[in-house]
Amino acid sequence: MDTKRLIVATLLSAMVLVGFEYFMPKQTHQEVAQQAAQTNRQTPPSDARRPAAPVAGVSSQPVSVASPQAETRLEIDAPAVRGSIDLLGARLDDMVLRDYHETVAAGSPLVRILEAAHDPQPNYVEIGWMNLAGGQVRVPDATTVWTADAPKLTADHPVTLSWDNGEGVTFQIVVGIDAHYMFAIEQRIVNHSAQPVSLYPFARVNRAYTPEETGGYLVHEGPISVVDGRLDESSYKSLRTGATPPGNTSWTKAGQGGWAGITDKYWLTAVVPQQGVPVTGSYGYQANGGAGVYQVGFIAQTPTVVGAGATASTASHVFAGAKEVNLLEQYQSSLHIPDFWKAVDFGWFAFLTRPIFYVLDYLNTLLGNFGLALMAFTLLVKALFFPLATRQFRSMARMRKLQPKVQEIRERYKGDQMAMNQHMMALYKTEGVNPAAGCLPMVVQIPVFWSLYKDLYITIEMRHAPFFGWIHDLSAPDLTNLFNLFGLIPWDPNVLSPYLQLGVWPILFGVTMFLQQKLNPAPMDPAQQRVFQVMPVLFTFFMARQPAGLVIYYCWNNLLTMAQQMVIQRRIQGATRPAAPVPAPAQKPAKRK
């Protein structure tokens, strides 16, 4: 039964790793190398230049695209971002992040978070107003040329964009930006006419291409929102298949404030309406005969009414940047944005993945290296589960003592399975042994392993985090390869098969797993022995495609487990060692008569 428990524990570990292999999107050595060399993006299809479609209830105006030569732009120069605003349509459509690069390669371009409609991967934000049904107020649209009161937007100096509709109404958009990725927006209507004006303010995110979803089942990528306290995560496919004419809307939700946008694995573009105000969030899509346009946005449920000679305004925010966990939580607290942290996909086990992330992030701050933080975290986990591990090894020791009796029962009742099981259970009851107790520590630790893996994969804090030596990105696989002698042969084995990828750290993992098995008694069944011999090799190839940080964690964990096992076994042996026999008292010689 001791052997069976080892097999069960090994199979549980195999299920975890196979699950990682299934759910994790595959990234080969060749793909990583191509990403490192990439400096130019693919030319977009001609359909990408077509006008964007309005989300139902957001805008009745067509979205047109101007040529790059005709654009007039307002520069953005902030501590964390740089870019520009297109004054034709007042679009926020050009921005890169100063602190993030595409790859770890030297000279890699900065991550572009916003891109204009005529560029390869359009992703931009529009802000405007919509008429009441039957309304005749001339409102700004995508062809409107705005005037800025300053040449540059900085963190210290907001900029006001203005446009006069020629009918006595002036529209203004006051744009400010903080030291990170949050834009503060104020939409003003100045009514100099003799008639009241009623309009619906709106804001929306437009994406005029379908990105490759790299997160697999581990992380959500696509439309996302929190409206009326409820999180909604939709796919690009659901928008395409669910868009209903004539508004081409696939989803709507009314509530008090919230936020909505389009998320990638590490990046988010979202609009945040004024909290506490009734709004309607919506997702939409229009095929345009080709690339298509996805739109996610908000529109006010009640119009802004501006009397003659009066001015009215509404406030909102736009987030465009990296999904840094602590920063999102700061915005959630300071701007009262509900559940803004959920932009990071901690998943169903957020009650476990979030605390583990905080521990890792703190250890990284303390030690200055995420690899060392992983190792320190492993020590904490081992200390936490030490009582369970002690119980496991004690159970294994007691089961090992019962092996002769178990084998005797098997031989005696070889042809009667029911009788064999009854006598074994009676033996366990008499000896006070639980056969399943040895598997408990492994079962309990699986959620920890899974949460650690998810944190390592989804959080930007671990993106491009270096370790020592050749590991420059703990979130990517170890790119060294045994099959080209670790770079001595100028050949990429992945050209033949992606499974011909076997780095140094996965090999070390296989070695530690093999040594760990040697500490346990070998199975008596030859078939079971062969299974155990194959498992380290199989696991080595599984781990070759996993993030290097996870492989380092497992290697270190195996080493600590071996040390822990030896310490506990010595304690058990010392506690169960039979006492030395007490010598008999010496007899006095008989007296002679």
Side-chain angles (χ1 to χ4, degrees), residues 309-388:
T311 299
S313 64
T314 56
S316 62
H317 290 84
V318 173
F319 179 92
K323 297 191 296 186
E324 300 170 5
V325 176
N326 292 328
L327 182 61
L328 294 177
E329 292 185 339
Q330 289 177 20
Y331 286 137
Q332 176 175 320
S333 176
S334 61
L335 301 178
H336 308 290
I337 306 174
D339 293 334
F340 203 38
W341 65 268
K342 290 185 178 178
V344 179
D345 187 8
F346 284 109
W348 292 348
F349 296 98
F351 63 90
L352 189 58
T353 52
R354 285 184 74 193
I356 288 177
F357 165 78
Y358 293 136
V359 173
L360 287 172
D361 191 48
Y362 172 77
L363 292 174
N364 177 54
T365 303
L366 188 66
L367 302 175
N369 186 284
F370 249 115
L372 296 179
L374 285 169
M375 291 183 169
F377 176 78
T378 311
L379 286 172
L380 293 176
V381 172
K382 285 297 178 185
L384 180 64
F385 289 108
F386 187 82
L388 282 177

Side-chain angles (χ1 to χ4, degrees), residues 62-265:
V63 181
S64 62
V65 178
S67 64
Q69 293 80 6
E71 291 177 344
T72 303
R73 295 195 162 271
L74 170 69
E75 182 183 356
I76 301 173
D77 185 9
V81 302
R82 61 178 173 84
S84 62
I85 298 175
D86 190 355
L87 295 180
L88 180 63
R91 285 178 172 174
L92 183 59
D93 65 354
D94 170 34
M95 199 173 74
V96 295
L97 308 182
R98 295 182 183 272
D99 300 327
Y100 294 96
H101 292 263
E102 294 285 352
T103 69
V104 295
S108 175
L110 296 174
V111 169
R112 176 165 292 279
I113 196 75
L114 297 177
E115 197 160 341
H118 52 71
D119 287 334
Q121 296 181 343
N123 189 62
Y124 52 94
V125 178
E126 290 183 310
I127 299 165
W129 292 263
M130 177 182 170
N131 265 302
L132 297 172
Q136 300 298 320
V137 180
R138 186 184 175 204
V139 295
D141 58 24
T143 63
T144 300
V145 179
W146 294 76
T147 301
D149 67 349
K152 182 187 297 186
L153 170 63
T154 66
D156 299 324
H157 296 90
V159 174
T160 300
L161 310 182
S162 302
W163 177 72
D164 192 326
N165 73 349
E167 300 173 355
V169 180
T170 300
F171 294 88
Q172 295 180 341
I173 302 176
V174 182
V175 185
I177 186 172
D178 65 5
H180 301 288
Y181 313 117
M182 188 68 79
F183 291 83
I185 308 295
E186 182 184 357
Q187 295 175 249
R188 294 177 185 165
I189 304 174
V190 183
N191 185 11
H192 298 293
S193 69
Q195 301 295 328
V197 173
S198 296
L199 297 171
Y200 292 96
F202 73 86
R204 64 176 177 232
V205 178
N206 299 265
R207 176 164 287 186
Y209 74 103
T210 303
E212 179 184 358
E213 298 178 49
T214 61
Y217 291 93
L218 280 173
V219 58
H220 170 69
E221 295 175 276
I224 184 173
S225 65
V226 171
V227 183
D228 209 20
R230 183 169 182 177
L231 173 69
D232 180 87
E233 296 175 327
S234 296
S235 65
Y236 293 107
K237 182 179 179 180
S238 68
L239 265 65
R240 293 194 300 268
T241 58
T244 305
N248 299 301
T249 303
S250 63
W251 175 89
T252 60
K253 175 71 174 178
Q256 301 284 330
W259 59 274
I262 299 178
T263 182
D264 299 298
K265 181 178 177 181

Side-chain angles (χ1 to χ4, degrees), residues 401-416:
K401 291 181 179 180
L402 293 180
Q403 283 302 309
K405 295 182 180 181
V406 170
Q407 189 63 28
E408 181 182 348
I409 294 175
R410 286 177 177 174
E411 293 295 335
R412 181 180 303 176
Y413 301 98
K414 186 182 302 182
D416 190 347

